[in-house]
Amino acid sequence: MKERVEIVIALGTNNDHEISMFKARQQLEVLFKDVVFTQQLWTDPIGSKGQNLPMGTPFLNCLAIAHTNHGAKQVASALKRIEVRCGDTRAHRMIGVVRMDVDLLLYNGERYHEEDWNRSYIQTLMKEIEAIRNTAEDEG
């Protein structure tokens, strides 16, 4: 069995914000017993998809930190299944509706979705992740 490694997960939605976030968080709590979530931040949409959406439909975002014995590919696959269970589809994405986006940002120190790391909300929430880490170290 692999050793436990730290992961950081990004969650975001621009549709049925609170319900979608609740569903995704609930599923992450089942997968990762030690998961801790950051605050949720509202952000402006990036890009111009979604001609049928009201202009500037905001996103609700947060990060999660947890530990796992599974490999990065297994974790990423599990996160994609959460998106599907939250009702996310390619057809929705084509018109700019993101029911739930759940991405693996960090796996055992290795960064994924490199373009996301430059976004201000990710940088803000990563500071909160660092505080969560420090609290866990103090308690451990």
Side-chain angles (χ1 to χ4, degrees):
M1 185 183 277
K2 285 186 161 203
E3 73 176 79
R4 285 174 56 81
V5 299
E6 180 187 272
I7 59 174
V8 175
I9 300 164
L11 296 88
T13 179
N14 71 354
N15 185 263
D16 290 332
H17 299 91
E18 288 83 9
I19 293 169
S20 296
M21 191 63 73
F22 176 79
K23 286 180 183 178
R25 288 174 60 140
Q26 196 173 43
Q27 291 176 62
L28 287 170
E29 288 170 348
V30 170
L31 284 178
F32 307 107
K33 301 300 181 203
D34 69 340
V35 69
V36 178
F37 298 94
T38 64
Q39 67 179 309
Q40 297 178 12
L41 294 179
W42 291 97
T43 60
D44 292 328
I46 298 168
S48 60
K49 287 185 184 174
Q51 300 83 351
N52 297 335
L53 291 177
M55 192 61 168
T57 300
F59 275 77
L60 184 59
N61 302 279
C62 76
L63 296 183
I65 184 171
H67 295 84
T68 184
N69 295 11
H70 297 287
K73 287 182 181 178
Q74 290 173 299
V75 172
S77 292
L79 300 181
K80 292 304 158 204
R81 287 191 297 275
I82 289 173
E83 290 178 351
V84 170
R85 286 193 294 266
C86 287
D88 203 55
T89 65
R90 283 188 187 166
H92 285 117
R93 296 262 182 134
M94 293 297 289
I95 59 168
V97 174
V98 179
R99 296 251 167 115
M100 182 48 64
D101 187 28
V102 187
D103 291 324
L104 181 61
L105 278 187
L106 192 69
Y107 180 90
N108 198 26
E110 184 177 344
R111 287 165 57 149
Y112 293 83
H113 297 275
E114 196 61 43
E115 67 281 358
D116 292 352
W117 287 86
N118 295 324
R119 296 181 179 162
S120 62
Y121 74 92
I122 294 288
Q123 293 171 2
T124 297
L125 294 175
M126 281 304 295
K127 290 176 185 167
E128 195 172 331
I129 290 290
E130 190 60 38
I132 292 167
R133 283 182 185 133
N134 291 338
T135 301
E137 287 174 12
D138 291 345
E139 291 174 356

